[in-house]
Amino acid sequence: MPDERRAFEPIELASRDELAALQLDRMRVSLRRAFENVPYYRASFAAHGVHPDDLRELADLAKFPFLTKAAFRETYPFGLLAVPRDEVVRLHASSGTTGKPTVVAYTRRDIEMWAGVVARSLYAAGIRKGDVVHVAYGYGLFTGGLGIHYGAERLGCTVVPMSGGQTERQIALIADFAPRAIAVTPSYMVALLDEMERANVDPKACSLEIGVFGAEPWTEELRARIEARAGIDAVDIYGLSEVIGPGVAQECRETKDGLHVWEDHFYPEIIDPDTGVVLPDGEPGELVLTSLTKEAMPVVRYRTRDLTRLLPGTARTMRRMERIAGRSDDMLIVRGINVFPTQIEELVLREAALAPHYRIELERRGALDEMTVIVEPASGADRATTQAAAASLRERIKTFVGVSVRVELAEPGTIEPSTGKARRVVDRRA
């Protein structure tokens, strides 16, 4: 018999008052843990004239200072630990492009909590006990693969720990093991679909019904394309290594209307990225997260740099965050215009004659920035049609983004598909 529960755990459907009381209790414990055990927090709180006892209601969290990625690098590797090092059972690290990686640590209870919120996330995605789940996120220091793996096992699934890369073998194992669900970055899912079609395999005829996509921003247009090509339900998962990894928030299969934040473990705020002022629900801004139950490395008001907004819950009581629109620190400024790669992706995907494989290149010619969008034609599209689509894309970018660009057509297969997080931008202006 199928599992017809509305939620994996009762707290997902608790009243807002019940949830707020739990949050306040847990927040007090988390702030005190950080203050008493981490010199960085003790000094930061003192510099801002606050103490954990100043938290009398949830709104008082705004009195406390922000935590940024720089703090992880300044205290590398163990300066943010709130427990003795010998209580740490696992370390992960993010793959930063500059400076030191950001290291995160987990106690045994942290690992249990993490597996629980990921299991909750996969349940909301429509995955059930006994399903085969193909995990194509990277394993190792990256949190994606092991995070999904432990959560799927907690849910009672059969896990295929494939990791990223080896695209042909991925396709073979999907055919052999018949997974019902796949967990992968959306950009690599496109590469998998391309490989299936090159091998004369109909993606719609395979066993997959659900795709859990995360680790990079993606658009509604890309969701529509993946669902149409693969015949699956594509849902969004959100997390970041500094907070826990995947499992901070999850989109529900039945609504597909944004990601419910698991607020009993992670308290969300939206701030103005320029002023740091907390914004009311519904207003777009930068997501800030405070952990409520982490032991090894509690985070207090961590600035994610991800741009979104908070909305009331629908399939769950907990609030939703909209799909990430971009990052405040990944924003490109081209001739004074703010440009996010996701804006370009959205417009590329409106052109049926263009494939979802693209690259943005930035150069400075004299005193001016030059932006080029390099994109592949869709399979089967003739040259005249793709040239017209390229011209249309150039005009759409000018109209909707406000910047003039060049659009170049690449030969099919020449833009290297991503096996992990997509690398969409090449900036040579420096």
Side-chain angles (χ1 to χ4, degrees):
M1 292 289 291
D3 188 340
E4 300 297 342
R5 289 179 296 167
R6 287 187 56 211
F8 185 63
E9 296 176 288
I11 190 63
E12 299 171 53
L13 304 175
S15 70
R16 290 301 308 178
D17 287 345
E18 181 181 354
L19 181 60
L22 178 65
Q23 288 172 324
L24 185 58
D25 286 344
R26 288 182 168 180
M27 191 179 293
R28 285 171 172 155
V29 172
S30 189
L31 288 180
R32 186 163 291 281
R33 169 183 290 275
F35 178 80
E36 292 179 351
N37 297 290
V38 183
Y40 177 90
Y41 280 118
R42 197 153 53 246
S44 178
F45 287 10
H48 286 78
V50 291
H51 185 275
D53 291 344
D54 295 330
L55 186 85
R56 295 180 174 83
E57 57 184 359
L58 291 173
D60 289 335
L61 184 62
K63 300 175 182 177
F64 289 80
F66 295 115
L67 179 70
T68 66
K69 187 181 284 286
F72 284 84
R73 292 177 177 145
E74 291 167 9
T75 59
Y76 177 90
F78 301 133
L80 291 179
L81 276 182
V83 298
R85 214 281 308 143
D86 60 5
E87 292 184 20
V88 173
V89 299
R90 192 192 302 171
L91 297 170
H92 281 283
S94 66
S95 54
T97 55
T98 60
K100 296 182 184 294
T102 55
V103 174
V104 285
Y106 303 78
T107 64
R108 193 166 302 282
R109 285 184 181 178
D110 289 337
I111 293 293
E112 289 295 311
M113 180 271 286
W114 188 16
V117 293
V118 174
R120 184 191 296 183
S121 297
L122 298 179
Y123 189 93
I127 299 170
R128 295 293 183 265
K129 180 180 179 180
D131 287 347
V132 178
V133 178
H134 183 102
V135 181
Y137 287 117
Y139 279 65
L141 288 177
F142 174 58
T143 56
L146 284 169
I148 297 294
H149 184 119
Y150 273 63
E153 287 186 343
R154 170 70 67 84
L155 184 55
C157 299
T158 301
V159 180
V160 181
M162 179 60 211
S163 192
Q166 303 183 66
T167 305
E168 292 182 5
R169 191 179 184 203
Q170 302 257 8
I171 303 308
L173 291 183
I174 289 171
D176 293 344
F177 295 160
R180 181 167 176 259
I182 186 169
V184 64
T185 62
S187 57
Y188 191 50
M189 184 65 188
V190 171
L192 292 174
L193 294 174
D194 289 346
E195 180 61 30
M196 285 184 182
E197 291 168 356
R198 276 193 292 270
N200 294 317
V201 174
D202 179 5
K204 292 183 180 178
C206 79
S207 60
L208 292 174
E209 298 178 20
I210 299 169
V212 180
F213 302 132
E216 63 190 22
W218 55 304
T219 61
E220 283 298 317
E221 286 75 15
L222 185 55
R223 187 213 300 266
R225 281 213 183 184
I226 290 173
E227 289 188 334
R229 291 178 70 186
I232 64 174
D233 284 313
V235 292
D236 203 359
I237 189 170
Y238 176 80
L240 60 170
S241 60
E242 294 88 348
V243 174
I244 193 70
V248 172
Q250 174 65 46
E251 190 170 44
C252 299
R253 186 187 188 192
E254 63 265 39
T255 53
K256 296 183 188 175
D257 58 357
L259 302 98
H260 285 81
V261 182
W262 303 134
E263 291 190 76
D264 54 328
H265 294 284
F266 313 104
Y267 186 80
E269 299 171 277
I270 297 294
I271 65 167
D272 182 311
D274 296 322
T275 66
V277 172
V278 177
L279 301 174
D281 287 0
E283 292 293 317
E286 179 186 333
L287 178 66
V288 172
L289 290 168
T290 296
S291 65
L292 303 181
T293 55
K294 280 183 69 178
E295 291 185 333
M297 276 190 175
V299 294
V300 178
R301 305 198 79 201
Y302 179 69
R303 292 191 63 163
T304 69
R305 300 294 181 180
D306 289 328
L307 300 177
T308 182
R309 62 178 179 146
L310 292 175
L311 300 168
T314 52
R316 306 291 191 274
T317 307
M318 298 178 190
R319 287 175 291 176
R320 292 170 295 141
M321 51 180 272
E322 277 192 334
R323 181 189 300 278
I324 299 299
R327 288 177 56 84
S328 61
D329 57 353
D330 283 354
M331 179 178 68
L332 308 173
I333 302 178
V334 182
R335 298 190 184 186
I337 304 295
N338 296 341
V339 181
F340 291 100
T342 49
Q343 293 176 298
I344 305 302
E345 177 180 289
E346 180 177 341
L347 298 176
V348 168
L349 292 171
R350 290 186 187 181
E351 302 291 342
L354 300 179
H357 302 304
Y358 68 94
R359 185 171 66 249
I360 299 169
E361 295 190 352
L362 294 163
E363 296 180 290
R364 180 159 289 130
R365 300 178 187 271
L368 295 177
D369 293 333
E370 296 286 345
M371 178 172 161
T372 303
V373 178
I374 302 172
V375 62
E376 291 184 15
S379 177
D382 60 66
R383 185 165 183 79
T385 302
T386 55
Q387 286 179 332
S392 174
L393 175 61
R394 184 176 62 247
E395 292 306 311
R396 286 180 187 270
I397 294 172
K398 173 65 175 175
T399 300
F400 293 105
V401 181
V403 63
S404 295
V405 303
R406 292 188 300 165
V407 176
E408 295 181 2
L409 289 169
E411 291 297 319
T414 57
I415 297 178
E416 185 177 356
S418 170
T419 59
K421 291 189 179 183
R423 304 292 184 183
R424 299 296 197 192
V425 179
V426 178
D427 193 342
R428 302 189 182 94
R429 290 177 294 179

